Every structure is written in structure tokens, then in C-alpha cells.
Amino acid sequence: MSELGELERILKRLNPEWKDIVAQIVDITMSELERILKGLTLEELNWQPKPDCNSIGWTTWHLTRALDAVISMITGEEQLWIRDGWCTKFNRPADPADTGGRHTPEQVAAFNSPDTDILLDYFRAAYEKANVCLAALNRSDLDRKIDDSWSQLLPTVGSRLVITIVDMLEHAGQIAYIRGLLQGKGWQEF
Amino acid sequence: MEWKDLLIQNFDVSLVAMERTLQGLTQEDLDWQPKPDCNSIGWITWHVSRILDYASSLFAEEEQLWIKDGWYGRFNRPADPEDRGRHTPEQVAAFKSPDADTMIAYYRVALEKFKQYLSTVSSYDLDRQINDEFSQILPTLGSRINAILRETQQHLGQIAYIRGQLQGYGWVELIK
């Protein structure tokens, strides 16, 4: 890292901004997902406590798809899902709308998770793209309008980020809960 | 919109999510555990509310609403500011929820207090040191706000998941 970059890093640490808190939420979620998914088999990733309940694999895929889709909406770039061929690694169609939103219980049950490495690698790629996107966003960008089918409900970049964070964190909490359900209290110590 | 508003709106959304998930649940539903060592909807909701109340009191150096306004009595629990859910499975199983209205009411006042505190915080305050048992892992006010937001949202995701387990796919449509 250049000296200037190092200086910036130190200054940032000494004088944190609200924006850094937003970025750190995504940072910490990355490390939490690594911890929550660690050591799970394919069978465990696809396990559903009841036939109409989401599995750990489905939920992780879905929250990552949401992050990838929203960031690409904000930046106007193609989704990593398509551009980098993640759809193939998940054995799914190259469809940018394939995010798991509005999936029926049958579709959830039919979802076959890839292994934890692929799940985490896709999240990491989406997370890195989110970091680049966030770093480039200014306060004034938060009020920028986005025109698509969600515009009525979530008109601006800022409102999309709010919902994306809510969605990502709620689903991350669910994954941890499902793992507890599967392996019992104390799984975090394993 | 400011970056700080983005965090505040996150907390606003959490109240809507909480009200939706608890709507129409009986005390039996609130106390239901999918397995004996899993947290119930009632326990999680109480725990999240306690964190918000505990944290804003710690940061603002004020008494907790839990004590000051007698919420502990409505939850039938001791007047102990440290009673916020660092529990064993036995303690979780023994937890008895009050009704959903009481749970939502305490969440609402705890959240309001936390948001009020947040409105007084400037970016210069974010690196202020906070001294308590978590100081080693979460030393600054900024890191606490981050952790509280994550924990709140994660627990809200969990109660929605538990309601789905209890009532099956489509419960969101049932309450509309």
C-alpha cells in the first residue's frame, strides 16, 4: 500500500464516519457467514426443519443474490451472477431475475446447494463489489432515483441500501438460527 | 439523505417488521420453541428490546426504562438492569412471555429511546470509548452502534423464521 493510502487508513480509523459504519455492517456479515457456514455438509446446507422452511443453502444463496442484484442496479453494471458465471457454479439458469424472491415452497425444496466454498466465494465476490460501490457513493447519491419495478416502494439509492441491509442481516440471523436448530446449543464452540 | 439516516431508517424498518411478526400471536405461540434448546419468539423479542434499552442507557448514562418505568414488573421479572438474556437453555425454556401487545410496547419505547440517543450522536462521537464487559471486542461507540443494528436485524429475521415454522408458508399473507 502507498504511503498516502496508509495515511488515509490511519486518518479514517482516527475519525470514523457514519458511512464507515454502513460499510462495516457488510464487512462483519462476511466474517459471520464464514463462521456460520463453516464445516457444513451439502446435506446440512439443504436441510429444512419443515418441508416449507428455507434451508441454510437456499437462504445464503438468496441473500447473496439480493446483494448482487441491488449493487448492479445502483452501479448500472451487469450482475456477477451472469457476468462471472456464478449461475453455472450453482447449476441454475443465467437469469438475472433468479434471486429466490417469491419462490414457492416447492422451488425452495428443489434448490440444491453447492458446497460452502462456492456459497462463500459468491458472497465474497458480491461483498467486494458492494465495497467498491459504497466507496464511490457520496451522500448526494443516496437521493438518486432508480427507475424499475420497485420504484414506487423504494425510489432512491438510499432506500434500496436500507432494505438490502435489513434483508441481508435478517437472513444471516436466520442461517445462524437454523444451524442452532440442526446442531443444538453450543454449535458456535465446535 | 445522510449516511446516518440510513442507519436510523434501518431501525425504523425493524419496528414495522416486529409489529408484523408479532401480530395476532398468542402467549403460547410466543413461548413456542421448535426444539428445547431453541429460542422462542417471545424470548428473542424481549432480549432485543433489552439490548436497545441497556445500550442507550449505558451510552447516555441514564437509568434503563426496564427499571425506571417498571417494565420488569409487566414481564414478571426481577428489577435487575443486567437481566437481558445471557441465558442457558434452561433459562430460555423457563422464560414466560407477556402478551404480544406488551412485548411490542416495550420494544417501541426501547427503540424510541435508542433512536433519540442516536440523534444526539455526531460522527466525532463514534470513536468515543465505551467501558463495560464488551470493551475488548467492541471498544468504541461506532462499533457498538454497528453491533446493535446487526443484532437487532438478525434477531428480527429469526422471529419471522420461527413464525414460519410455527404457522407454515403464507403466514405473512394471513395477517394482512
Side-chain angles (χ1 to χ4, degrees):
Chain A
M1 185 179 279
S2 72
E3 254 174 65
L4 193 64
E6 180 64 19
L7 188 65
E8 253 175 48
R9 229 163 49 99
I10 293 168
L11 279 175
K12 225 176 174 181
R13 208 163 48 221
L14 291 175
N15 187 15
E17 296 285 334
W18 290 103
K19 184 182 172 180
D20 301 330
I21 308 243
V22 175
Q24 282 162 10
I25 290 170
V26 193
D27 272 348
I28 296 176
T29 302
M30 176 80 242
S31 51
E32 285 191 331
L33 284 178
E34 283 172 348
R35 182 175 56 97
I36 302 169
L37 294 184
K38 193 174 184 192
L40 292 177
T41 64
L42 286 180
E43 197 183 334
E44 289 167 333
L45 291 170
N46 286 318
W47 179 75
Q48 298 172 275
K50 286 189 182 174
D52 57 357
C53 284
N54 302 333
S55 63
I56 292 178
W58 185 91
T59 308
T60 308
W61 168 72
H62 167 63
L63 79 85
T64 311
R65 289 294 298 118
L67 185 62
D68 188 7
V70 168
I71 297 301
S72 91
M73 234 180 311
I74 293 171
T75 62
E77 292 167 358
E78 199 177 16
Q79 292 181 18
L80 303 176
W81 182 246
I82 309 292
R83 198 195 73 189
D84 294 345
W86 287 101
C87 55
T88 313
K89 291 182 188 162
F90 280 76
N91 202 20
R92 297 192 66 88
D95 175 4
D98 182 35
T99 62
R102 301 203 180 84
H103 259 189
T104 62
E106 292 72 29
Q107 287 173 301
V108 169
F111 180 86
N112 267 315
S113 187
D115 61 28
T116 55
D117 284 347
I118 291 177
L119 284 173
L120 285 171
D121 285 348
Y122 179 42
F123 186 81
R124 190 173 297 109
Y127 147 78
E128 278 165 6
K129 196 167 171 213
N131 268 345
V132 173
C133 168
L134 275 178
L137 283 182
N138 293 314
R139 225 170 46 190
S140 58
D141 293 320
L142 297 179
D143 296 322
R144 181 160 61 82
K145 300 263 191 259
I146 297 187
D147 286 320
D148 65 6
S149 56
W150 291 88
S151 298
Q152 196 107 36
L153 209 58
L154 303 166
T156 61
V157 168
S159 63
R160 299 292 168 106
L161 287 175
V162 170
I163 290 303
T164 307
I165 291 170
V166 170
D167 195 70
M168 180 182 75
L169 293 174
E170 287 196 357
H171 284 311
Q174 292 170 347
I175 296 168
Y177 193 89
I178 304 168
R179 181 151 190 179
L181 204 53
L182 181 67
Q183 301 187 326
K185 156 108 180 159
W187 67 265
Q188 286 162 308
E189 276 80 50
F190 291 166
Chain B
M1 188 191 208
E2 304 280 337
W3 287 100
K4 185 180 171 184
D5 300 329
L6 207 141
L7 301 174
I8 291 171
Q9 286 184 18
N10 245 282
F11 283 108
D12 289 336
V13 174
S14 80
L15 178 61
V16 179
M18 168 72 73
E19 288 174 333
R20 190 190 54 184
T21 307
L22 260 57
Q23 192 182 323
L25 291 181
T26 64
Q27 272 164 281
E28 198 183 333
D29 295 333
L30 291 169
D31 287 336
W32 181 75
Q33 298 172 277
K35 285 189 182 174
D37 58 356
C38 283
N39 301 334
S40 63
I41 293 177
W43 186 90
I44 293 174
T45 305
W46 167 74
H47 169 63
V48 160
S49 310
R50 292 293 298 123
I51 290 169
L52 290 169
D53 191 5
Y54 166 85
S56 48
S57 301
L58 176 72
F59 305 155
E61 293 174 3
E62 289 169 3
E63 197 179 15
Q64 294 178 20
L65 302 175
W66 183 247
I67 307 294
K68 194 185 81 182
D69 293 342
W71 284 99
Y72 68 89
R74 297 173 68 177
F75 280 77
N76 203 18
R77 296 192 68 86
D80 175 4
E82 294 301 319
D83 180 32
R84 57 181 196 275
R86 309 186 78 195
H87 277 174
T88 63
E90 292 72 28
Q91 288 172 303
V92 169
F95 181 87
K96 289 273 169 270
S97 281
D99 60 30
D101 285 347
T102 304
M103 303 234 69
I104 293 170
Y106 180 48
Y107 185 75
R108 191 178 292 124
V109 293
L111 179 70
E112 197 49 48
K113 179 161 163 266
F114 187 84
K115 277 171 54 193
Q116 260 168 25
Y117 172 72
L118 208 53
S119 71
T120 68
V121 177
S122 84
S123 64
Y124 297 104
D125 301 320
L126 292 175
D127 53 1
R128 197 186 105 200
Q129 303 289 311
I130 304 290
N131 290 314
D132 72 352
E133 60 196 298
F134 300 110
S135 299
Q136 200 103 39
I137 41 171
L138 300 167
T140 62
L141 181 58
S143 63
R144 295 298 171 103
I145 292 171
N146 178 316
I148 289 163
L149 191 146
R150 283 184 298 106
E151 183 157 359
T152 303
Q153 301 288 4
Q154 291 185 356
H155 281 312
L156 281 166
Q158 293 171 346
I159 61 173
Y161 192 88
I162 302 168
R163 181 152 185 176
Q165 254 191 297
L166 181 66
Q167 301 189 325
Y169 182 77
W171 68 267
V172 180
E173 276 74 41
L174 287 176
I175 60 166
K176 272 180 189 160

